[in-house]
Amino acid sequence: MELTKKERAMLDGEMGKAAAKAMEILVAVGKIYSAGRMVPVGSVQIAGVSYKTIGDAGIEFLQGFADTGAKCIVPAYLNPAGMDLLEWEGMGVPKAFAQKQLEIVGLYEKMGVKATCTCAPYQIGIVPKLGEHLAWSESSAVCYANSVLGARTNRESGMSALAAALCGVTPEFGLHLEENRKAGVVFELECRLKDRYDYAVLGAHVGKIAGERNPAFVPRAEDKKPTNDMLKLLGAAMAATGAVALFNFKDATPEFNVREGAEKIVVEQKMLDETVAKMNTGEEPELIAIGCPHCSIDEVCEIAEKVKGKKLGAKKLWVCTSRGVKAVADAKGYTQVIEEAGGKVVCDTCMVVCPIEQMGFGITGTDSGKAAQYLPGFCKQKVVFRRLEDMI
């Protein structure tokens, strides 16, 4: 790889042990993917935060970096943790888990990473510019940044993202390069797309077909332009059921570049209905968890309107979001409405990375294609994949 004078100095240890170790990681990744050089990044988003996902080995890894005096030189932000960092006791999170989780967040903060603890940083003012290079690692955030914002990032590992934060660069390959951003498969939509849930179902279906290819979507003429929240759920589901990191949606995303000879596939409603049937493995949820990816303020408002005046009874409702969005929800009265119905606005975490299987839950309801994909294997849950209004 062609390294700048500064990058070479980092690799040679002239800028400290942490920078040398981080640059060694980045160079190794670059060589694997035949990157010619590094590219500066505007921000970094780091996954590998929940104790459930990284365990004691992850703590040891982070401790090793922190002990060498590692410090981020570009803005870096955390993905969701395994619990609400302030209200974990009220959630029923085991104390032993909580202690480990707080240790992990503390190590990241020691290195200068901001404890935003959200998978949707673009909802709290962290909005990359069109064409800006990033080193983000959360799959849904990567898909949104590339597709909806037109930024450029590969799906980094938690390790390579942290290395990028310490060095300010990432290897230039994959979706950082224009030639790799064209769509390889086009989905012509003849299905119903009226709300967020429909887009989540579409993403769950298409992700399995697209795999690692960049998909493009051509909607029916009568369909309304999707909102950003709809596109968020579409991308998150495709990233979970497949490995999609970039999609194009005609007249809705800043890019619509289709590779010559791209495969064309028609999506009919019966295909989506079959996908829903396969993903539904439970009947009545014990926990209804919304916010995978984290809810925007518009989504929190919509949920509050749907539960207003209702009582959830034995069912628990979590509305997962960032602490920044919750502050707005508090001010607008949405949080109070949800709590009066028996629900809870949960910050810093989500149903996938929280240890819900240790907290007495066996059947979880969600309207997220991503969560519906991950909950059975990762959380040992039976899944109810429906619209919120149907579950309550």
Side-chain angles (χ1 to χ4, degrees), residues 242-302:
V244 175
L246 165 67
F247 67 89
N248 294 174
F249 201 104
K250 191 172 184 181
D251 299 327
T253 57
E255 297 173 278
F256 193 82
N257 300 317
V258 178
R259 197 175 301 281
E260 188 175 346
E263 181 183 7
K264 293 186 178 181
I265 299 173
V266 174
V267 181
E268 299 176 346
Q269 185 60 42
K270 65 179 182 180
M271 298 174 181
L272 303 191
D273 294 340
E274 289 169 359
T275 294
V276 170
K278 289 177 183 177
M279 297 180 80
N280 268 290
T281 55
E283 294 183 3
E284 281 299 320
E286 299 158 350
L287 169 67
I288 301 170
I290 309 298
C292 180
H294 274 171
C295 287
S296 67
I297 190 61
D298 289 342
E299 289 171 307
V300 177
C301 173
E302 181 183 330

Side-chain angles (χ1 to χ4, degrees), residues 75-97:
Y77 310 96
L78 283 187
N79 211 36
M83 63 187 195
D84 188 309
L85 299 179
L86 299 181
E87 304 292 338
W88 58 269
E89 287 182 287
M91 291 178 68
V93 173
K95 186 175 181 179
F97 182 98

Side-chain angles (χ1 to χ4, degrees), residues 185-193 198-210 213 215-220 222-223 234 238 248-249 263-276:
V185 55
V186 179
F187 292 92
E188 298 178 347
L189 305 178
E190 295 184 2
C191 51
R192 178 185 64 246
L193 292 172
D198 286 335
Y199 280 87
V201 174
L202 174 64
H205 173 73
V206 165
K208 295 174 183 177
I209 301 170
R213 294 179 292 178
F217 295 91
V218 179
R220 299 177 301 179
E222 62 266 32
D223 286 330
L234 171 66
M238 290 191 292
N248 294 174
F249 201 104
E263 181 183 7
K264 293 186 178 181
I265 299 173
V266 174
V267 181
E268 299 176 346
Q269 185 60 42
K270 65 179 182 180
M271 298 174 181
L272 303 191
D273 294 340
E274 289 169 359
T275 294
V276 170

Side-chain angles (χ1 to χ4, degrees), residues 28 37 82 93 96 114 125 137 143 181 229 237-238 241 257 282 327 381:
R37 62 175 184 171
V93 173
K114 296 178 176 62
S137 56
C143 201
R181 296 180 67 84
D229 284 327
M238 290 191 292
T241 61
N257 300 317
Q381 299 292 299

Side-chain angles (χ1 to χ4, degrees), residues 50-66:
S50 173
Y51 178 60
K52 177 176 177 175
T53 59
I54 70 171
D56 291 328
I59 293 177
E60 186 178 347
F61 172 80
L62 294 173
Q63 189 73 61
F65 261 116

Side-chain angles (χ1 to χ4, degrees), residues 215-233:
F217 295 91
V218 179
R220 299 177 301 179
E222 62 266 32
D223 286 330
K224 292 181 180 179
K225 179 181 176 180
T227 65
N228 285 352
D229 284 327
M230 292 171 178
L231 295 175
K232 175 181 70 176
L233 283 164

